[in-house]
Amino acid sequence: MLLRVAAKNLLYRRLTTALMVVAIAAGVSLLFAIERVRSGARESFASTVAGIDLIVGARGSPINLLLYSVFHLGDAVNHISAATWQELRQHSAVKAAIPLAMGDSWRGHRVIGTTADYFTHYRYGDQRQLVFSAGRAFTGLFDVVVGHAVAQRLSQGLGERLVLAHGVSEVSFNVSHDDMPFTVVGILARTHTPTDRSLFVSLPAITALHRDADARTAPLELPTLTAVLLKLQEKFTVLALQREINTHRPEALTAIMPSVSLRQLWQTLGVAERVFLLLSFLVFGISLLGMTVALLIGLDARRQEMAVLRAIGASPRFIFAVLIVEALLISLAGIVAGVALSYMGLYAFEPLLATKLGLTTGMFTPAATDVWFLLAIIGCALLAGCVPAWLAYRGSLADGLTVRMG
Amino acid sequence: MAAVLSLQDVRFAWSAHAPPLLHVKAFSVARGERVFLHGASGSGKTTLLNLSSGVLLPQQGRLQLLGHELTTMPSAARDRLRGAEVGYIFQMFNLLPAFNALENVCAPCRFSAAKRQRVAAQGLSVEDAARHLLLALQLDPQQLATQRVSRLSVGQQQRVAAARALLGAPPLIIADEPTSALDHDVREQFLDLLFAQCQKFNIALLLVSHARELGRRFDRSLAWRDLNRAGDT
Ligand SMILES: Nc1ncnc2c1ncn2[C@@H]1O[C@H](COP(=O)(O)OP(=O)(O)OP(=O)(O)O)[C@@H](O)[C@H]1O
Ligand SMILES: [Mg+2]
């Protein structure tokens, strides 16, 4: 009976109900979307660098180094020489040194000059290795391996010829070398990391890209590098090696531990994150307030209805429960609509979030914390519903069966 | 015959400092009896009905509904007793606007198992019993099942309210000026129909009104100032 009365009342006041649901849906969707993007960002950032112990770049800000070397956000200001990479590679504590030379692009996707070590030693997620969904690693000068997202933009796939451009932009200028097409020899399986959106070529290929056509026959020396990813023989040597690299003489270097820098990054972003979350909580709070006010305004017109319910045997507690259930139904509908809306929004903005923020994973998979999150939202709605419910309870006790004005 | 309702030396005041509004030495309604009560506006008639249905409690005295002493009963039990043993008709706005007329008539049966059982004892479903009552009160159940109650005329609304009070044959129907919003002919017809059903199910009726002339149709007609001793010296 309780549910019937509450549901019928809401249906009877369709317009008000719909408006309350819309307001709550708006609040919930904003809150939920921001929470998803936030946790998605953390998840996808954290899963991007799993197997790397140290990242080495030119002297500069550690967070910058982290951002441009693994997340492909922004550009390196300074570069390091290939000689330094060779030196690092031969260091006794180092198991693998993966060079990264960036600066070129294909239709807005980064072209990364590296070695085949990248495919064997790079790890993402929970220590997962890169897998070729088709083809193999590059061997020849004009071989290119593409990530999953890049492969989707190809027309033929394996064997297709690509023209790579100098510089990083969506459109290619006339500096692109039309006479130097690369051949797709490998396609990587999906990783949900920036790897998906990258193309990989050998280091000499980068040098060749930047050379004038007439000088192309000369032997190719190695290009300058953007960063070097290090994997160590023994984890415990990481601090010593970091100190050693940071005090490196011939060239000023910065070595960072990805996990430490990632934590610093979150601390830096934490404030903005909290402001966003606070704002969305405010929006949600206001939408709940709207519901409370709408229910409160409705109460006065419903006093006779309450008296009728009392006359046919309802207790004041029943009256209280009717309003609580109404608030609960409204907010449940609002939550369902809001979550659906936020998923639709995330889905619509996914390409944008992926290219601008590097978010590729975690946004769509519901997390265990979401349950708590939604329970907290329902809890808030219950509290908000208590206000009109309590007033209705008091009112029906005072009114009894006779409703008086005022 | 046992009394359906009985008050003994009941005193009631709205607050401790307010002068006592109501003091009833002895008043009872017998099973199946039709009692009419008339009195001036603001004199405390509605208050008496609120007491009789267990919504208000007196400061003093004994107040029994079908032999159950209301003054010592927990409030939830009083609500249940009212739901089971009383049908209530207001002057106006008797119906739940979100429910259609048929649902309004059936609503008390959703609160009270006792009413449901009495309907079942007639060998009817709640809805069928409701339809029978609506027909007996000269309403079209077919039409009322779909129509919004706010679209009904006041006379129709009062008859729907009467059907609701009658459904499940409670021993007592309390009516607070149920005919005040009706004009003369409609009022007479309403009472005819209500009386017929009360008689059929042996239901006692306690009806309050300003309109003293209605009293001649009842078994007993009382003036409130004769019943209420408050203010007497
Ligand atoms: N909730 C309340 N709180 C305080 N005083 C009240 C309350 N309800 C009624 N009263 C007072 O009790 C007195 C009797 O009211 P009641 O409604 O019982 O009168 P009545 O005889 O039914 O009048 P009418 O014929 O106009 O319906 C009035 O003076 C009113 O001011
Ligand atoms: Mg009155």
Side-chain angles (χ1 to χ4, degrees):
Chain A
M1 186 60 185
L2 182 58
L3 207 62
R4 262 180 93 86
V5 172
K8 288 244 178 205
N9 281 336
L10 291 179
L11 281 178
Y12 179 66
R13 279 166 263 271
R14 298 183 189 81
L15 185 64
T16 326
T17 305
L19 287 176
M20 289 190 274
V21 169
V22 166
I24 291 191
V28 168
S29 64
L30 194 64
L31 196 56
F32 200 72
I34 285 183
E35 176 59 23
R36 294 311 307 144
V37 169
R38 197 178 69 99
S39 67
R42 279 180 186 256
E43 235 171 273
S44 68
F45 272 44
S47 73
T48 302
V49 276
I52 304 301
D53 298 310
L54 281 176
I55 301 172
V56 182
R59 178 70 42 91
S61 139
I63 288 177
N64 265 350
L65 176 56
L66 180 77
L67 286 177
Y68 67 67
S69 63
V70 288
F71 301 118
H72 306 174
L73 297 172
D75 291 297
V77 184
N78 292 308
H79 292 77
I80 56 177
S81 69
T84 303
W85 165 53
Q86 301 284 15
E87 207 178 308
L88 285 167
R89 196 155 67 146
Q90 267 129 41
H91 196 285
S92 60
V94 174
K95 186 170 170 192
I98 307 166
L100 300 175
M102 303 182 191
D104 300 305
S105 67
W106 178 76
R107 293 196 194 164
H109 293 289
R110 300 246 180 185
V111 172
I112 299 170
T114 182
T115 63
D117 277 352
Y118 189 89
F119 306 119
T120 47
H121 289 293
Y122 179 81
R123 294 285 184 280
Y124 67 96
D126 39 3
Q127 301 295 334
R128 287 205 276 175
Q129 199 175 346
L130 293 177
V131 176
F132 282 92
S133 63
R136 53 169 175 81
F138 48 74
T139 48
L141 184 60
F142 294 113
D143 287 354
V144 58
V145 169
V146 300
H148 177 83
V150 179
Q152 309 241 288
R153 293 185 67 179
L154 297 176
S155 44
Q156 293 161 289
L158 279 188
E160 186 168 341
R161 308 203 130 206
L162 307 178
V163 174
L164 308 184
H166 183 63
V168 184
S169 71
E170 185 74 27
V171 285
S172 305
F173 301 103
N174 56 353
V175 287
S176 65
H177 305 252
D178 283 289
D179 50 342
M180 251 194 353
F182 283 73
T183 308
V184 177
V185 298
I187 295 171
L188 293 168
R190 189 165 201 174
T191 63
H192 295 289
T193 68
T195 298
D196 290 347
R197 285 170 281 119
S198 308
L199 297 88
F200 300 91
V201 298
S202 64
L203 289 177
I206 296 287
T207 316
L209 263 174
H210 296 172
R211 245 206 215 166
D212 294 336
D214 48 321
R216 214 162 278 162
T217 44
L220 292 163
E221 77 275 13
L222 293 173
T224 57
L225 302 176
T226 312
V228 176
L229 309 178
L230 294 185
K231 201 166 185 172
L232 305 188
Q233 301 281 7
E234 303 288 350
K235 291 252 185 237
F236 67 85
T237 59
V238 68
L239 283 172
L241 188 64
Q242 185 184 29
R243 202 174 317 117
E244 192 183 324
I245 295 171
N246 282 338
T247 55
H248 182 76
R249 274 284 147 239
E251 196 173 16
L253 297 175
T254 301
I256 58 164
M257 284 187 269
S259 55
V260 173
S261 294
L262 204 54
R263 213 174 307 134
Q264 284 173 347
L265 180 66
W266 292 136
Q267 270 162 15
T268 321
L269 292 180
V271 179
E273 216 179 67
R274 252 168 272 153
V275 168
F276 268 122
L277 213 55
L278 194 74
L279 280 179
S280 51
F281 263 117
L282 270 178
V283 171
F284 173 65
I286 289 168
S287 69
L288 275 189
L289 199 67
M291 176 183 81
T292 310
V293 169
L295 285 175
L296 279 178
I297 290 173
L299 274 190
D300 219 41
R302 293 172 62 181
R303 282 169 66 191
Q304 178 62 25
E305 195 182 313
M306 307 301 180
V308 170
L309 281 172
R310 297 258 4 236
I312 61 175
S315 59
R317 252 185 282 169
F318 181 89
I319 307 289
F320 181 87
V322 165
L323 275 140
I324 286 282
V325 171
E326 283 183 20
L328 210 59
L329 286 177
I330 291 168
S331 39
L332 275 179
I335 286 168
V336 170
V339 170
L341 207 66
S342 66
Y343 268 108
M344 263 152 41
L346 287 176
Y347 194 77
F349 286 104
E350 190 207 24
L352 193 73
L353 291 169
T355 50
K356 298 289 179 221
L357 286 171
L359 301 186
T360 44
T361 181
M363 286 193 309
F364 299 111
T365 43
T369 49
D370 289 349
V371 176
W372 292 111
F373 198 68
L374 291 178
L375 282 179
I377 288 179
I378 294 174
C380 291
L382 265 181
L383 275 176
C386 275
V387 178
W390 173 246
L391 285 179
Y393 175 83
R394 291 279 310 274
S396 78
L397 270 183
D399 280 348
L401 304 181
T402 19
V403 177
R404 279 173 188 77
M405 297 299 180
Chain B
M1 204 161 27
V4 172
L5 175 72
S6 107
L7 284 76
Q8 276 165 42
D9 208 24
V10 165
R11 285 169 201 262
F12 178 84
W14 277 104
S15 74
H17 349 282
L21 172 69
L22 182 149
H23 176 198
V24 176
K25 272 259 168 67
F27 173 65
S28 68
V29 177
R31 201 167 275 274
E33 191 185 17
R34 292 173 301 189
V35 179
F36 180 74
L37 189 62
H38 63 91
S41 179
S43 56
K45 304 182 297 295
T46 297
T47 307
L48 176 78
L49 299 186
N50 271 316
L51 287 165
S52 305
S53 55
V55 172
L56 288 176
L57 281 182
Q59 276 83 18
Q60 239 182 60
R62 283 155 60 81
L63 176 54
Q64 291 185 331
L65 189 60
L66 287 138
H68 301 282
E69 179 60 49
L70 292 178
T71 51
T72 55
M73 206 181 258
S75 71
R78 274 184 277 131
D79 291 328
R80 242 175 288 130
L81 192 66
R82 175 174 65 255
E85 314 294 358
V86 178
Y88 211 103
I89 308 173
F90 296 98
Q91 179 178 350
M92 280 180 92
F93 308 119
N94 267 288
L95 306 179
L96 299 170
F99 287 59
N100 69 38
L102 191 63
E103 291 167 330
N104 260 286
V105 176
C106 297
C109 281
R110 294 188 177 278
F111 280 97
S112 167
K115 279 190 177 172
R116 280 198 298 275
Q117 277 159 15
R118 287 195 294 255
V119 170
Q122 298 169 36
L124 289 170
S125 74
V126 170
E127 301 230 323
D128 284 340
R131 287 199 188 91
H132 282 150
L133 277 168
L134 287 171
L135 275 175
L137 292 165
Q138 296 178 0
L139 291 162
D140 176 8
Q142 219 69 45
Q143 183 202 344
L144 293 183
T146 52
Q147 203 166 33
R148 282 231 177 145
V149 291
S150 56
R151 300 250 168 83
L152 300 177
S153 74
V154 181
Q156 284 174 317
Q157 286 183 24
Q158 290 307 86
R159 278 181 282 158
V160 172
R164 179 175 65 199
L166 287 161
L167 187 68
L172 175 65
I173 287 184
I174 293 176
D176 195 354
E177 312 191 25
T179 58
S180 302
L182 307 178
D183 50 40
H184 181 265
D185 291 349
V186 183
R187 179 194 299 171
E188 293 299 318
Q189 182 208 20
F190 176 84
L191 285 180
D192 288 341
L193 296 169
L194 184 60
F195 282 177
Q197 293 304 310
C198 284
Q199 200 154 24
K200 182 175 170 195
F201 294 106
N202 194 26
I203 296 171
L205 176 65
L206 173 58
L207 192 145
V208 158
S209 179
H210 299 277
R212 193 179 309 189
E213 69 276 13
L214 290 177
R216 61 191 153 73
R217 308 190 51 178
F218 285 74
D219 300 331
R220 189 148 60 104
S221 174
L222 293 167
W224 176 243
R225 66 177 177 286
D226 295 335
L227 191 61
N228 185 14
R229 299 294 180 80
D232 292 6
T233 40

